[in-house]
Amino acid sequence: MAKKIIAFVGILFLAGGIAFAQKNALTVDVGPTIIGVAVGQLGSIVGDSDINTSGFGIGLQYERHILEKLSVAGRFAYLGAGLGVKDDGTGARLSMDITSYSIEGHVRLYPTGSAFFLDGMLGYGNITTTLDGSVKVGGSQRPVAHFSPSRNYFKLGGKIGWRNCFGRQGGFTFEPSLGYSYGIGLGESVEKQLAGIVGGDAGDFDDVFKYVENIVFIGGPKISLAFGWSF
């Protein structure tokens, strides 16, 4: 087994070491998808039939080489998660959906002119939290509350990765990378907006949302597993 793993890694390095004859690459990043699926499984882990969760994410990127060792790229990413809670006794329902998207510009340096790259990013992000509440009246659900505050972010970050192109003139591309991004919030935070709407104090809720915003949806460590086509 160890020999097979070493041989597979060797093939990846050999494929990635081929100099880029192709100038373009379109990739789909399933890193956000994995996060979304993990969030969607939280309800099953809790094991409470009155709680359900859902999640989905995806990243899309176009890259173009402008020099042998330098490229630019545009990336769009989306991540959404939902939480629903119900009370069969009173018929009350509460749902919370958190969605975020980002539009990013990337500059990449390939120091060796081939596979290994250093990536710098500047971009824009947005996170929106939607809260819906309803009660059961006369056999049907009637809405009693709807809040949807959002916040914009200026994003910056960096990552390192390895672009494996299986072909000299283009073809299947696999690109794993690891990085970190940071979001600078513009305007009032989502949790403070919610507290202002309901006339309460954000309290500990503020810390929870800071973690959700800055680590999961907007900033924090990022693992990317991108697949696509070079041409």
Side-chain angles (χ1 to χ4, degrees), residues 71-84:
S71 73
V72 293
R75 185 175 187 269
F76 171 82
Y78 169 87
L79 179 60
L83 170 67

Side-chain angles (χ1 to χ4, degrees), residues 52-213:
N52 64 81
T53 55
S54 61
F56 176 75
I58 196 167
L60 304 172
Q61 179 173 287
Y62 168 70
E63 178 187 7
R64 179 168 179 82
H65 276 263
I66 55 177
L67 297 172
E68 180 183 357
K69 297 184 179 183
L70 188 68
S71 73
V72 293
R75 185 175 187 269
F76 171 82
Y78 169 87
L79 179 60
L83 170 67
V85 181
K86 63 181 180 178
D87 186 336
D88 292 331
T90 62
R93 300 285 190 273
L94 176 64
S95 66
M96 180 175 68
D97 295 301
I98 303 176
T99 59
S100 69
Y101 69 88
S102 62
I103 301 172
E104 304 165 359
H106 294 254
V107 176
R108 286 187 173 184
L109 174 65
Y110 292 83
T112 63
S114 54
F116 174 72
F117 64 82
L118 302 172
D119 183 305
M121 178 272 289
L122 292 174
Y124 160 83
N126 173 274
I127 185 170
T128 300
T129 301
T130 302
L131 289 174
D132 282 300
S134 65
V135 294
K136 194 172 185 179
V137 179
S140 62
Q141 293 294 130
R142 292 189 179 182
V144 294
H146 176 82
F147 310 120
S148 189
S150 65
R151 192 184 195 191
N152 298 317
Y153 283 84
F154 175 72
K155 294 183 63 177
L156 64 159
K159 62 181 177 180
I160 58 174
W162 193 270
R163 181 177 160 194
N164 302 283
C165 300
F166 296 85
R168 289 182 178 274
Q169 301 302 321
F172 177 73
T173 299
F174 171 57
E175 183 184 292
S177 63
L178 178 64
Y180 191 92
S181 62
Y182 180 75
I184 301 174
L186 306 175
E188 199 171 43
S189 66
V190 169
E191 59 273 17
K192 288 183 179 179
Q193 292 181 56
L194 285 173
I197 292 171
V198 300
D201 184 2
D204 294 335
F205 194 61
D206 186 75
D207 294 330
V208 173
F209 255 83
K210 282 182 180 178
Y211 177 82
V212 170
E213 291 181 41

